Amino acid sequence: MMHRQPGNAETGPVIRHGPALRGRAGLIGGLAALSGILFGLDTGVMSGALDLISQEFILSDFQRESMVGVMLLGAALGVLGAAWLSHRCGRKRTLVLTAGLFVIGPLLCAESTSYRTLMLARLLLGLATGATTFTTPLYIAEIADSGRRGAMILGYQLMISCGLLAAFVSDGLFSYFGGWRWMLGVVGFPGLVFMMGVLFLPPSPRWLLAQGRERDARRVLIELRGLPRLVMAERNAIMARLSARRDGIGSFMKDPNCRRAMWLAVGLQVAQQFSGINAVLYYAPYIIGLVGYGHYVQVWGPVGIGFINLLSTCIATTCVDRVGRRPMLIGGFAVMALAMAGQAVMVAHGMPPAPGMRLLMGACMLVFVAAFAFAAGPLTWLLCAEILPLRGREFGMACSTCANWVANMLVSATFLTGLEIMGADGVLWGYAGLNAVFMVMVALRVPETRGMTLEQIEVELMRGTPLRALGTRMHSRA
């Protein structure tokens, strides 16, 4: 059954699909989102493996930071490569190539015999991880209907959380055998499964129409939507936007509306990383030991972090298309700022803290992770996929995703040095202040895109509607 809400001539009607029409797109989106498991595994495994690698290769703090940072450098380069490939060859073929790297990279990590060879293997894995963070949200946004686009893209973040939890559990198990090679190599098995599954994905209908392959695009849209009337309406809306925009970097260089969307996307990605989340995820055992917990808690404490991260992401997936993007983001950054400030206050009383303070610090850390997984973690990827215009979307997504990985690298590759220079309380106060700033940025600049099609968002953006006001009229009518 098809339901329509009133719309004007410029934005068109809002089409809501019944459950029977969503299943195929949901299945395809879910399969694409499995790449998130690989992203989560690659991010999480180094948390437990780093100390064991440091013992075997006798690494300094700088080399430990470099071991984390080289994957993030590779990810930034992978984003740029994926942007070119997804435009020239399509989103599906880019995902197939990425899946192959997820098989080769972990095997090379497991076979590394020196610090240098392991660094090269981690760089290769970074290329794969960066490519998938660019391509997967873009692909899902282009096959999803407006009613479930938020939940489907957040499904990708849910898979990342599953991968993180799996990484922390495997690290805990393999730590009893000193098996860092197994910790890194085990990622190749889900990589192989993903590579086989991604072969059955259809191409993006929006990419097909951009290439002039209308017959193939209609076939994919019928597969995704079911009803011919829905297919024609969506096809016409996509073609209208394709004919109205220039392609690639030219749109962003010449059109201020494109540029402001890109700068907002870049700002959201930088905010996500400078919240401090990856300082917690990459160095969780180190932080747990720093506050006075023993070896057992250092090994299994990250599993608790991974579980909270997964649970909070599940809740976000059910709320995003009901509550909306803006309220969740504002609340998330506010809670993250308070959690970091609470830890800073307790650390200021001395390190390691007293037993009671230690428990409170652990609780604050878990609250911080939960708030991130509920808001900044998933919603950043969702909003970036939504607000960037169709023509030149690859360029905009490349810039914003590359910014994410560069910011990630800066945070992760300087965390240990920051502790030495500023002290733990100084670092925590810094992150608390940044999260407060990001909360204000969201309140002033981020739009509410819940329930809008990608074409409706683009029409409002291109006629000069302020970013904060995108969708305001539609939501006021709802």
Side-chain angles (χ1 to χ4, degrees):
M1 184 176 180
M2 183 175 66
H3 304 275
R4 296 180 183 268
Q5 291 183 349
N8 57 39
E10 288 182 284
T11 60
V14 178
I15 301 173
R16 299 192 182 279
H17 304 279
L21 301 179
R22 294 173 173 175
R24 182 62 176 162
L27 178 63
I28 293 170
L31 181 58
L34 286 177
S35 63
I37 289 183
L38 298 168
F39 176 11
L41 281 169
D42 280 335
T43 300
V45 291
M46 187 51 69
S47 172
L50 189 57
D51 283 342
L52 298 174
I53 295 171
S54 299
Q55 293 171 18
E56 180 166 334
F57 296 134
I58 313 176
L59 305 183
S60 65
D61 279 351
F62 174 76
Q63 288 175 316
R64 286 160 62 94
E65 290 175 333
S66 299
M67 185 64 67
V68 174
V70 70
M71 177 186 159
L72 308 177
L73 173 62
L77 298 175
V79 169
L80 300 178
W84 182 82
L85 279 173
S86 68
H87 176 70
R88 298 285 297 184
C89 305
R91 286 69 159 125
K92 175 184 174 177
R93 291 176 181 172
T94 304
L95 287 174
V96 171
L97 177 61
T98 299
L101 293 178
F102 272 123
V103 176
I104 298 171
L107 296 180
L108 291 178
C109 285
E111 294 297 323
S112 296
T113 56
S114 69
Y115 170 71
R116 289 185 178 180
T117 55
L118 183 55
M119 288 281 284
L120 289 174
R122 291 288 292 172
L123 181 66
L124 182 62
L125 258 182
L127 293 173
T129 304
T132 193
T133 58
F134 169 83
T135 311
T136 301
L138 182 65
Y139 176 80
I140 295 174
E142 292 184 349
I143 66 166
D145 63 79
S146 60
R148 285 209 313 177
R149 185 176 61 245
M152 287 178 67
I153 294 180
L154 262 65
Y156 171 64
Q157 184 69 28
L158 183 62
M159 293 296 102
I160 295 175
S161 299
C162 290
L164 280 170
L165 179 58
F168 292 146
V169 171
S170 68
D171 282 355
L173 294 174
F174 288 126
S175 67
Y176 291 103
F177 311 100
W180 67 264
R181 296 180 186 278
W182 279 100
M183 293 178 186
L184 302 183
V186 74
V187 181
F189 294 104
L192 183 61
V193 174
F194 174 65
M195 184 173 65
M196 292 186 293
V198 78
L199 293 173
F200 296 95
L201 293 177
S204 161
R206 286 173 170 82
W207 180 81
L208 290 172
L209 286 171
Q211 303 303 309
R213 297 168 55 183
E214 183 163 338
R215 180 178 297 179
D216 292 335
R218 287 185 180 182
R219 176 181 53 79
V220 173
L221 284 170
I222 289 173
E223 184 180 0
L224 297 174
R225 308 291 183 247
L227 294 180
R229 287 177 297 174
L230 300 180
V231 169
M232 287 307 299
E234 187 164 349
R235 177 263 177 203
N236 292 338
I238 295 170
M239 290 302 297
R241 299 317 308 158
L242 286 172
S243 62
R245 301 278 3 117
R246 296 175 297 274
D247 202 2
I249 189 173
S251 299
F252 289 88
M253 295 297 293
K254 298 178 181 179
D255 195 323
N257 290 317
C258 288
R259 289 200 301 273
R260 64 195 181 106
M262 184 187 71
W263 285 119
L264 177 59
V266 168
L268 286 169
Q269 294 284 16
V270 171
Q272 185 199 65
Q273 292 306 313
F274 276 92
S275 68
I277 184 61
N278 280 317
V280 174
L281 295 180
Y282 291 134
Y283 298 104
Y286 180 87
I287 295 171
I288 292 171
L290 192 67
V291 299
Y293 285 106
H295 176 73
Y296 183 83
V297 179
Q298 291 179 48
V299 169
W300 292 106
V303 176
I305 293 174
F307 177 77
I308 292 296
N309 185 68
L310 175 60
L311 179 62
S312 192
T313 305
C314 289
I315 297 172
T317 302
T318 64
C319 293
V320 63
D321 287 318
R322 299 177 184 178
V323 177
R325 284 68 160 152
R326 271 177 51 82
M328 291 172 64
L329 267 179
I330 292 172
F333 277 121
V335 172
M336 291 160 69
L338 292 173
M340 279 293 188
Q343 292 180 79
V345 169
M346 286 178 272
V347 167
H349 287 82
M351 291 289 284
M357 290 286 190
R358 196 181 307 159
L359 289 174
L360 285 175
M361 280 198 67
C364 284
M365 181 185 293
L366 293 178
V367 168
F368 173 84
V369 171
F372 175 87
F374 180 75
L379 296 183
T380 294
W381 298 108
L382 171 59
L383 282 164
C384 288
E386 289 180 330
I387 63 176
L388 292 167
L390 178 59
R391 282 287 193 174
R393 182 172 291 155
E394 293 95 342
F395 176 75
M397 284 290 289
C399 290
S400 61
T401 309
C402 188
N404 177 286
W405 286 110
V406 171
N408 189 338
M409 181 175 62
L410 291 174
V411 171
S412 304
T414 59
F415 178 69
L416 297 178
T417 303
L419 291 177
E420 292 182 2
I421 297 174
M422 302 172 58
D425 57 334
V427 171
L428 293 170
W429 275 120
Y431 285 133
L434 285 172
N435 280 295
V437 170
F438 300 147
M439 178 187 67
V440 175
M441 181 192 79
V442 171
L444 295 178
R445 303 292 290 175
V446 173
E448 180 53 74
T449 55
R450 173 172 55 95
M452 299 178 69
T453 67
L454 298 181
E455 288 69 40
Q456 288 171 330
I457 296 170
E458 184 172 350
V459 165
E460 290 203 21
L461 176 73
M462 291 306 171
R463 72 180 169 207
T465 303
L467 287 170
R468 167 66 182 84
L470 291 180
T472 299
R473 289 183 299 173
M474 193 196 80
H475 292 125
S476 65
R477 293 196 303 264

